[in-house]
Amino acid sequence: MRKWRKIHSEPLVDTHWAQVHRDSVELPNGCRIDDFYTVTINDAAAIVALDDAGNILLKKEYRYCYDRDLIEIPAGTFERGETDGLEVARRELLEETGYISENWQYIGATVESSAKLTNQMHIYFAEHCRKVSEQKLDETEELEVLVVPLVQAVEMVMRGEICCNSSAHGILWAARKLGV
């Protein structure tokens, strides 16, 4: 596929949480788009966390943009300057669920919204998770931890109850890996 050519880029928003640009671009066929918006948010790490009983740790959290609760795997953003996704994943698992693990595997990075967002979600698999503390949520977080059998989580994905891309990706990856 041939690349688009950027003609002009205008920054519209530049905050800790997001950067938005309005670009003028020319497509390979000569068509021009003068208001193509890109949104950059921090990369994030998500965790497919399983305990020794074969349960997966999920979270139910209200998501303002969708005005409803969504069920997801634990996850959180890289802070500015952070580059170690495993460090982010370990921190977020402990903060959001109170669980830890010594057994980690990198699954890979997913693209959450390929048309407009520029970030990646780095997904990790953590086995033998065990609870060591209560949640340590940020002041902007309020979530409920759900502990369900992995096979039930797969069914939740298939029914659309778990609809976030990275969560579905990670759950289905773990189910395939474990033969569930």
Side-chain angles (χ1 to χ4, degrees), residues 49 53 79 107 152-153:
E79 297 297 327
I107 295 174
Q152 181 181 339

Side-chain angles (χ1 to χ4, degrees), residues 24-38:
S24 293
V25 296
E26 184 177 329
L27 283 59
N29 66 3
C31 180
R32 185 171 166 153
I33 303 171
D34 288 321
D35 60 349
F36 190 90
Y37 296 89
T38 61

Side-chain angles (χ1 to χ4, degrees), residues 66-165:
Y66 296 95
D67 192 28
R68 66 183 176 117
D69 292 339
L70 293 176
I71 299 173
E72 308 169 11
I73 59 178
T77 62
F78 285 53
E79 297 297 327
R80 290 213 180 184
E82 280 187 313
T83 58
D84 185 348
L86 180 56
E87 183 179 308
V88 174
R90 287 179 189 271
R91 178 186 72 229
E92 292 298 328
L93 181 63
L94 180 60
E95 287 179 3
E96 292 190 343
T97 69
Y99 283 74
I100 63 169
S101 173
E102 280 81 41
N103 301 72
W104 291 85
Q105 179 181 351
Y106 184 62
I107 295 174
T110 62
V111 174
E112 295 300 292
S113 178
S114 62
K116 299 289 182 191
L117 292 178
T118 66
N119 72 308
Q120 293 184 323
M121 179 69 78
H122 300 274
I123 306 176
Y124 292 84
F125 180 60
E127 291 183 284
H128 309 293
C129 294
R130 66 184 190 285
K131 188 168 177 86
V132 296
S133 71
E134 296 304 314
Q135 294 171 303
K136 298 177 179 94
L137 300 174
D138 296 336
E139 85 176 310
T140 60
E141 291 178 309
E142 184 178 324
L143 60 93
E144 176 186 350
V145 175
L146 308 173
V147 181
V148 303
L150 179 58
V151 68
Q152 181 181 339
V154 170
E155 290 304 316
M156 292 168 76
V157 170
M158 300 310 290
R159 288 191 303 266
E161 294 171 45
I162 297 175
C163 57
C164 301
N165 290 337

